[in-house]
Amino acid sequence: MRARSPRLDHATAFAPACVGNVGVGFDILGHSMAGAGDRAEVRRIDEPTVRIAAIHGCVTTLPTDAGANTAGAALLALRKALGVQHGFELTLYKGIALGSGMAGSAASCVAALVAANALLEQPLPREALYGFAMDGEAVASGGRHGDNVGPQLLGGLALATHDRLLRIPVPADWHCALVHPHFVLETRASRAALAGDYALGEFVAQSANLSLLLAGCFRGDAALVRDGLKDVLVEPRRAPLVPNFGRVKQAALDHGALGASISGGGPSVFGWFEHRAGAEAAAIAMRAAFAEAGLDSDMFVAPIDGPAAGLVDDEVQA
């Protein structure tokens, strides 16, 4: 009989940044993005509670009350649903700035869940963490949507509805250029810009564009993606919130982007490209366009078929 592994008492996980919405898939489509992310260390404790021990990194002012913190809320939801008798102590290491449009709040709760899951006597399949991740994300955004947490859990491009999570195939050569200006745009303010009436024709056009993009990904057809990656519903309402957005987007298109738009709630801007070289050249031009508005920025270039969250070094400490 094989010896039983010793019970783990702590684990550390990392979750990557994410491009939410991908322009045409508001709240339901996103892809993970290598180059930035959040790390969470979770310890198993005897007390039946969730407590946040410390927050380090580029953001240290987040709530330490578990119910008001995305990562803490996700762990509370996990404990309640599974009837876990023990508790969790969480330390966060933030690598994604707040209000960046790079899914920092989502990365924290996904990293915490992946680490905590490793401490369960019977760890759950990755997809089973999805609902708990949306519970955590709701603390920051005000609603349960999966366009950030879904791709972070599965990796790559993911279609994330309320009840289903599906990874979408993307050619390995396709890359994303993501440029994050040093400017804070809070998620709730970005969502408030979407209030108001919408024409039926806008929904029809957006549905057609989303369909073209998904078909293009499944078929590896860049021409279909180029026709589809055009946000006619959300981008026009959020564009005024992003300094010099028009020039930044045009810089991506001028360098051969299949399409470009606002990442998540902004202010980061992304573009999709068939090859890495085009993405790298575009990122430099996009950064220069933000500089025209007096904003420094960070740029990231990585495959669209990005990494999933995972345990650090693929191992946990007992």
Side-chain angles (χ1 to χ4, degrees):
M1 180 181 296
R2 187 171 61 181
R4 185 175 181 180
S5 299
R7 189 178 73 180
L8 304 170
D9 66 7
H10 72 283
T12 302
F14 177 86
C18 182
V19 173
N21 301 330
V22 193
V24 293
F26 181 71
D27 276 2
I28 61 170
L29 190 68
H31 70 83
S32 60
M33 188 77 185
D38 284 3
R39 186 161 52 96
E41 181 180 350
V42 179
R43 292 185 175 275
R44 179 174 174 142
I45 58 176
D46 292 333
E47 298 91 332
T49 188
V50 173
R51 64 178 182 235
I52 299 176
I55 301 172
H56 305 287
C58 65
V59 181
T60 59
T61 56
L62 296 173
T64 54
D65 172 67
N69 182 290
T70 59
L75 296 187
L76 286 170
L78 175 72
R79 286 195 70 255
K80 181 177 180 181
L82 300 184
V84 176
Q85 297 302 305
H86 63 80
F88 298 111
E89 182 182 82
L90 170 66
T91 300
L92 285 174
Y93 300 86
K94 294 291 296 178
I96 303 176
L98 288 182
S100 63
M102 295 173 61
S105 60
S108 292
C109 67
V110 168
L113 282 169
V114 170
N117 189 49
L119 305 183
L120 300 178
E121 291 188 6
Q122 295 183 325
L124 300 174
R126 186 58 64 93
E127 290 83 353
L129 300 177
Y130 180 48
F132 308 130
M134 287 195 290
D135 290 337
E137 173 77 330
V139 173
S141 66
R144 296 178 83 253
H145 53 85
D147 60 315
N148 289 318
V149 297
Q152 289 167 337
L153 284 167
L154 293 190
L157 179 68
L159 181 64
T161 70
H162 280 288
D163 303 312
R164 300 291 297 273
L165 184 57
L166 175 66
R167 185 162 179 167
I168 307 297
V170 180
D173 286 344
W174 290 7
H175 276 66
C176 177
L178 177 69
V179 180
H180 165 229
H182 296 176
F183 173 79
V184 176
L185 179 53
E186 293 184 358
T187 301
R188 290 178 185 267
S190 184
R191 295 184 81 85
L194 304 181
D197 297 327
Y198 293 79
L200 179 61
E202 291 177 314
F203 282 102
V204 173
Q206 192 84 333
S207 296
N209 289 344
L210 175 60
S211 300
L212 286 168
L213 182 142
L214 292 175
C217 289
F218 273 101
R219 295 175 61 173
D221 189 331
L224 288 178
V225 173
R226 192 181 298 276
D227 286 343
L229 188 42
K230 300 171 183 175
D231 180 6
V232 300
L233 195 66
V234 175
E235 181 187 300
R237 293 164 174 81
R238 283 181 167 171
L241 303 178
V242 180
N244 219 24
F245 170 72
R247 291 275 293 154
V248 177
K249 177 180 178 178
Q250 191 60 49
L253 297 176
D254 288 345
H255 284 78
L258 300 176
S261 191
I262 301 167
S263 176
S268 294
V269 177
F270 77 95
W272 275 18
F273 300 82
E274 291 184 75
H275 303 286
R276 184 178 185 91
E280 289 176 339
I284 295 171
M286 294 162 70
R287 191 168 187 259
F290 272 124
E292 293 173 3
L295 292 174
D296 196 7
S297 59
D298 303 310
M299 58 185 189
F300 306 89
V301 174
I304 296 168
D305 194 28
L311 297 174
V312 173
D313 296 329
D314 295 325
E315 63 182 26
V316 291
Q317 305 296 321

